């Protein structure tokens, strides 16, 4: 198990953190992403816990907030969509529920270290596996 990077989850807190991650992964499979209410409300309702306790648990366990983690997941999805070469940057922004492509562009550059255009033209464009994001 360990040689394949699997671990046994021992505590209810670890299980809850994994449920949060799983919920966020699944959200990104439902494109276009459409969150009419705050992510905090959706997550709280889905997991039947107060968001404040979910957020505190997640941040303590993963050393990153749920919001920042979800942004990182979204940026990995952006990389995937760029590599597929089926959508414009504006369409990608729409699919991932960004109000405008400039906001997406700023977040992308902040996290990846290059613009989306540079990434698109870069020969060695690498993506992280979703389970490696932290």
């Amino acid at each position: 198990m360990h040689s394949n990077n699997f671990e046994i989850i021992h505590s209810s807190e670890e299980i809850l953190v994994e449920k949060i991650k799983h919920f966020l992964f699944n959200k990104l499979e439902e494109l276009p992403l459409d969150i009419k209410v705050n992510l905090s409300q959706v997550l709280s309702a889905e997991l039947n816990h107060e968001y404040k306790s979910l957020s505190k648990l997640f941040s303590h366990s993963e050393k990153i907030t749920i919001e920042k983690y979800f942004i990182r997941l979204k940026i990995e999805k952006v990389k995937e969509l760029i590599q597929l070469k089926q959508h414009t940057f504006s369409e990608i922004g729409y699919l991932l529920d960004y109000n405008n492509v400039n906001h997406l562009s700023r977040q992308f550059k902040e996290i990846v270290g290059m613009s989306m255009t540079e990434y698109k033209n870069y020969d060695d464009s690498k993506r992280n596996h979703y389970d490696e994001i932290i």
Side-chain angles (χ1 to χ4, degrees), residues 74-85:
K74 286 169 63 173
I75 296 302
E76 288 305 314
K77 189 67 169 183
V78 170
K79 289 179 182 180
E80 176 185 331
L81 293 171
I82 289 172
Q83 289 176 351
L84 290 174
K85 299 179 181 182

Side-chain angles (χ1 to χ4, degrees), residues 1 16 19 26 84 96 101 105 121:
M1 248 180 18
L16 194 51
K19 283 183 178 181
N26 286 340
L84 290 174
L96 292 168
V101 73
S105 296
N121 297 327

Side-chain angles (χ1 to χ4, degrees), residues 65-81:
T65 66
I66 293 172
E67 294 82 7
K68 287 183 180 179
Y69 181 76
F70 192 52
I71 289 168
R72 289 179 182 265
L73 288 177
K74 286 169 63 173
I75 296 302
E76 288 305 314
K77 189 67 169 183
V78 170
K79 289 179 182 180
E80 176 185 331
L81 293 171

Side-chain angles (χ1 to χ4, degrees), residues 39-62:
L39 180 62
S40 59
Q41 292 172 321
V42 174
L43 198 53
S44 182
E46 180 71 22
L47 298 178
N48 200 27
H49 282 76
E50 287 186 25
Y51 183 75
K52 185 176 180 179
S53 64
L54 293 174
S55 178
K56 186 176 179 180
L57 173 65
F58 192 90
S59 295
H60 178 74
S61 172
E62 302 301 313

Side-chain angles (χ1 to χ4, degrees), residues 83 85 114 117-126:
Q83 289 176 351
K85 299 179 181 182
M114 65 177 78
T117 302
E118 291 170 327
Y119 182 83
K120 181 179 178 179
N121 297 327
Y122 191 60
D123 290 334
D124 193 25
S125 302
K126 293 184 180 176

Side-chain angles (χ1 to χ4, degrees), residues 75-76 79 107-115 119 126:
I75 296 302
E76 288 305 314
K79 289 179 182 180
Q107 279 189 345
F108 189 92
K109 186 160 188 163
E110 181 181 313
I111 292 170
V112 178
M114 65 177 78
S115 71
Y119 182 83
K126 293 184 180 176

